Amino acid sequence: MDANWDDLRVFLTLAREGTLTTAAKTLGVSHPTVARRVQALEKQIGARLFERLPDRFVPTSAGEELLADTEAMEKAAHSIHRRSAGLSDTVSGTVRLSAEEATAALIARYSAELRSKLPQIEFEVISSHTLANLSRREADLLIREQVPELGGIVARKLGRVAYAIYAARTLPVKRSSQAALAALPWVGFDDDHIRMPGQSWLLEYRAGRRPEIRGNNWLVLHEATRTGAGLAVLPCHLGDPDPMLRRIGGIIPDVFADQWLLVHRDLRALPRVRAVMDAVVELFQQERPLLEGRS
Amino acid sequence: MDANWDDLRVFLTLAREGTLTTAAKTLGVSHPTVARRVQALEKQIGARLFERLPDRFVPTSAGEELLADTEAMEKAAHSIHRRSAGLSDTVSGTVRLSAEEATAALIARYSAELRSKLPQIEFEVISSHTLANLSRREADLLIREQVPELGGIVARKLGRVAYAIYAARTLPVKRSSQAALAALPWVGFDDDHIRMPGQSWLLEYRAGRRPEIRGNNWLVLHEATRTGAGLAVLPCHLGDPDPMLRRIGGIIPDVFADQWLLVHRDLRALPRVRAVMDAVVELFQQERPLLEGRS
DNA sequence: GCATCCATGTACAAAAGTGTACAGCGCCTT
DNA sequence: AAGGCGCTGTACACTTTTGTACATGGATGC
């Protein structure tokens, strides 16, 4: 007959902690319970797993031998635990949302408002230039510019983000010709992020000249621009609310980013995921003018 | 809080068996217990893991999702179970002994006698041309011709196996010159097993001519020889007791195989391993004349 | 149609496990 | 030296889990 799997969990904790009292605290049981369950396991296995010293328990060589497999069980149990967090069908729990950096900043700006609407939900915003994987539960919800071809993904259109040229109000920029503007110093993404919105547009605008100040995220670009390092193409929802920035010209018609909310079909029915989806959709409706540069 | 690991074991069995009653039988508990423990797990996880039909349980998609990790836990638990069989410090249990084929046959010949001496022990004889690995618990005991350099291995000398030329009694062989004998048909190992005892000796004896009948184990060689296919170099303990065989000449002084009993130091203290060791040592003492070709 | 078998579900008594409180030992600090 | 702290071990009362017996429903065979 197999050993009680749960007693193996106790064994592993005691081997790690070294004393009954600390292991009991970690496991949330009493210390005699730890002792008894280890004793039951020793009886089941037929070997002594610990030497009992006056002030601690030390694994025997037999005990040492079982550790690796028990740790493998723990690893799998942790995976189950993580997955089960996504299976819970209550309103409470964590919802993890992954979005491109500027959009993540927008969501984060309203996270207090989301939290007051959905107080039982813990909310995690992951900003990333790379695609989180819904199938692998790296995130519960994604906001992306395109709908992936993968089966099982459900998409809702949130709206469109517009972009414009921005400069610090303290930077002396005259409304002049394209050539004159292009000759000024600029702030943009580095070569590795040339595919970010507006960067290929800027390269063409400046006849192939790269921005003088380059960074790898919107925060860097935003900070450099608002402190006068140069001009930059920024999303309107980032530039317009900042009193230190002003637009140079109107929105750029050729530079935009559609926003789609993606969810795995299996998760859509979960109350907490649906609640967050609805709240995000409502937020984007409410902020539509800001997103489109019409505020 | 983590799920009860042992409830995951119940979940896995029910998912496999499909009904409470068969799962209960497999687990050795009552069917209401299976139902209750799965229910407790569902409460812990926060999701329904089974659809309950009138005649069976069917995993939900949530349940399906947890199966792979639970199977990983099972695999690790089985490994623990196998290892624990080697840790048990009682006299009862299985002892696995690995030996070269002819020696394994000798041991097997006396396994009934060993069993009557050690009735609580289950005895496994593994015959193999390759080295079982003591460190990896592929065997508890090894009989080999050499003592490996590895640390942690304890060796006891069992004795020496002698070899001689044998032919079927029905085969007309005269006691004649080496050249005349060499010209007769022979039975031996194939090229892949040239390192087996006596094979290089035979190749030299026949001036480089390979045996006409070739096999890859002693059983083949023994059977072919005793039924008249040709002459063969066989261990004396295999050839002498067979009434259908006779020796051609005496033992071959240059062909022999020392026998060492090897055990990992950690296992030597186990009562059942020690019991089998002692019994094997005694057997080899008792059978020494047969082994050395002096019976 | 009736009897039988097999399934899940339920309730109660019995068995097993757990927590609480205390004892004994060793170590450290005042 | 005395007191405090932390450890393991033990015993008893309490709590939880389990097995047994029964009920209900559905399917199958005669």
Side-chain angles (χ1 to χ4, degrees):
Chain A
M1 188 71 258
D2 272 337
N4 180 318
W5 286 12
D6 211 54
D7 288 346
L8 289 165
R9 182 168 67 104
V10 176
F11 158 73
L12 181 59
T13 303
L14 181 57
R16 289 215 179 113
E17 304 271 1
T19 69
L20 290 179
T21 43
T22 52
K25 179 171 291 187
T26 296
L27 291 164
V29 297
S30 66
H31 84 260
T33 296
V34 176
R36 283 183 291 228
R37 292 182 67 175
V38 165
Q39 190 170 41
L41 184 65
E42 286 176 326
K43 185 177 176 186
Q44 184 68 245
I45 298 266
R48 206 127 87 142
L49 302 177
F50 291 100
E51 302 297 348
R52 285 143 170 85
L53 308 186
D55 61 333
R56 75 200 143 105
F57 277 56
V58 176
T60 58
S61 62
E64 296 275 4
E65 179 153 353
L66 302 188
L67 278 177
D69 283 318
T70 312
E71 277 167 352
M73 289 180 82
E74 183 194 43
K75 185 180 173 188
H78 279 166
S79 179
I80 287 169
H81 185 63
R82 285 196 308 272
R83 287 172 185 273
S84 65
L87 299 178
S88 176
D89 54 3
T90 63
V91 169
S92 59
T94 300
V95 174
R96 188 178 293 111
L97 184 148
S98 170
E100 184 269 339
E101 189 198 350
T103 307
L106 174 69
I107 303 276
R109 203 180 297 158
Y110 295 91
S111 56
E113 187 174 325
L114 284 175
R115 281 282 289 149
S116 66
K117 280 190 194 174
L118 305 164
Q120 291 136 285
I121 295 186
E122 297 184 1
F123 200 63
E124 224 172 278
V125 185
I126 301 162
S127 83
S128 174
H129 297 321
T130 61
L131 292 175
N133 190 313
L134 279 177
S135 300
R136 291 209 299 270
R137 309 270 174 216
E138 292 172 0
D140 300 309
L141 298 172
L142 292 194
I143 300 179
R144 289 286 175 254
E145 299 180 25
Q146 287 165 337
V147 182
E149 299 280 350
L150 300 180
I153 304 292
V154 178
R156 281 172 78 167
K157 180 78 181 283
L158 292 178
R160 173 170 287 193
V161 174
Y163 292 74
I165 300 173
Y166 289 90
R169 290 189 185 275
T170 56
L171 190 70
V173 180
K174 298 192 183 75
R175 296 278 188 85
S176 44
S177 67
Q178 171 176 340
L181 285 184
L184 291 173
W186 283 74
V187 178
F189 275 96
D190 59 23
D191 289 349
D192 289 342
H193 295 83
I194 197 67
R195 299 189 59 176
M196 295 299 286
Q199 302 313 301
S200 49
W201 179 90
L202 179 57
L203 212 52
E204 191 174 337
Y205 185 83
R206 300 186 77 203
R209 217 176 354 172
R210 295 186 302 170
E212 281 76 13
I213 309 294
R214 296 188 294 274
N216 66 349
N217 60 43
W218 289 114
L219 178 65
V220 168
L221 269 63
H222 182 197
E223 284 298 314
T225 308
R226 68 198 298 265
T227 52
L231 291 80
V233 179
L234 298 177
C236 297
H237 68 81
L238 193 62
D240 286 348
D242 191 336
M244 290 176 69
L245 290 174
R246 63 176 171 137
R247 276 203 212 162
I248 309 296
I251 67 170
I252 309 169
D254 292 337
V255 183
F256 59 86
D258 286 332
Q259 302 288 290
W260 291 84
L261 180 59
L262 310 177
V263 63
H264 196 277
R265 188 191 297 125
D266 290 345
L267 292 184
R268 195 178 47 164
L270 295 185
R272 71 176 187 277
V273 173
R274 203 165 52 239
V276 172
M277 284 177 69
D278 292 343
V280 168
V281 167
E282 190 183 335
L283 165 67
F284 271 78
Q285 296 287 5
Q286 164 186 331
E287 297 298 325
R288 184 171 224 148
L290 175 64
L291 287 173
E292 297 178 351
R294 295 188 282 107
S295 63
Chain B
M1 186 74 257
D2 272 336
N4 182 318
W5 286 11
D6 211 55
D7 286 347
L8 289 166
R9 180 166 66 102
V10 176
F11 158 73
L12 181 60
T13 304
L14 181 56
R16 288 217 180 112
E17 304 272 2
T19 69
L20 291 179
T21 44
T22 52
K25 180 170 291 186
T26 297
L27 291 165
V29 297
S30 65
H31 85 260
T33 297
V34 174
R36 284 184 291 229
R37 292 183 66 174
V38 163
Q39 189 171 40
L41 184 64
E42 287 176 324
K43 184 176 176 187
Q44 183 68 243
I45 297 264
R48 211 131 86 142
L49 302 178
F50 290 99
E51 302 296 348
R52 284 142 173 87
L53 307 186
D55 62 332
R56 68 194 152 111
F57 277 57
V58 176
T60 59
S61 61
E64 297 274 4
E65 181 154 347
L66 301 188
L67 278 177
D69 283 319
T70 312
E71 277 166 353
M73 289 179 82
E74 184 194 43
K75 185 178 172 190
H78 280 166
S79 180
I80 286 168
H81 184 65
R82 285 196 307 272
R83 287 170 185 273
S84 66
L87 299 179
S88 175
D89 54 2
T90 63
V91 172
S92 59
T94 301
V95 175
R96 189 179 293 112
L97 185 147
S98 171
E100 184 268 336
E101 189 197 350
T103 308
L106 174 68
I107 304 277
R109 202 180 301 157
Y110 295 92
S111 57
E113 187 174 328
L114 286 175
R115 281 282 288 146
S116 67
K117 279 191 197 174
L118 306 165
Q120 292 135 286
I121 294 183
E122 296 185 359
F123 201 63
E124 224 172 278
V125 184
I126 301 162
S127 83
S128 174
H129 299 316
T130 61
L131 292 177
N133 190 314
L134 280 176
S135 300
R136 291 209 299 269
R137 306 274 178 217
E138 291 173 1
D140 301 309
L141 298 172
L142 291 195
I143 300 179
R144 287 287 176 254
E145 298 179 26
Q146 286 164 335
V147 182
E149 299 282 351
L150 299 180
I153 303 294
V154 179
R156 280 171 82 167
K157 181 76 180 287
L158 292 178
R160 172 171 288 191
V161 176
Y163 292 74
I165 299 173
Y166 290 88
R169 289 187 187 277
T170 55
L171 191 71
V173 180
K174 298 192 182 79
R175 295 278 188 80
S176 43
S177 66
Q178 170 175 345
L181 286 185
L184 290 174
W186 283 75
V187 178
F189 274 96
D190 59 21
D191 289 350
D192 290 344
H193 296 83
I194 200 65
R195 299 189 58 178
M196 295 298 286
Q199 303 312 302
S200 50
W201 180 91
L202 178 57
L203 212 51
E204 189 175 340
Y205 185 85
R206 302 185 78 203
R209 216 176 350 171
R210 295 186 299 166
E212 279 77 12
I213 308 295
R214 295 187 295 275
N216 66 349
N217 60 44
W218 289 114
L219 178 65
V220 169
L221 269 64
H222 182 199
E223 283 299 316
T225 309
R226 69 197 298 262
T227 51
L231 290 81
V233 179
L234 298 177
C236 297
H237 68 83
L238 194 61
D240 286 348
D242 192 335
M244 288 175 67
L245 290 177
R246 62 177 172 140
R247 277 204 208 159
I248 311 295
I251 64 171
I252 308 169
D254 291 338
V255 183
F256 59 87
D258 286 334
Q259 303 290 287
W260 291 85
L261 180 60
L262 310 177
V263 64
H264 196 277
R265 186 189 301 126
D266 289 345
L267 291 184
R268 195 177 46 165
L270 293 184
R272 71 175 185 280
V273 173
R274 201 163 54 238
V276 172
M277 283 176 69
D278 293 343
V280 169
V281 169
E282 192 183 334
L283 166 68
F284 272 78
Q285 294 289 6
Q286 167 187 332
E287 296 300 326
R288 184 172 227 151
L290 175 66
L291 287 173
E292 297 178 350
R294 292 189 283 107
S295 63

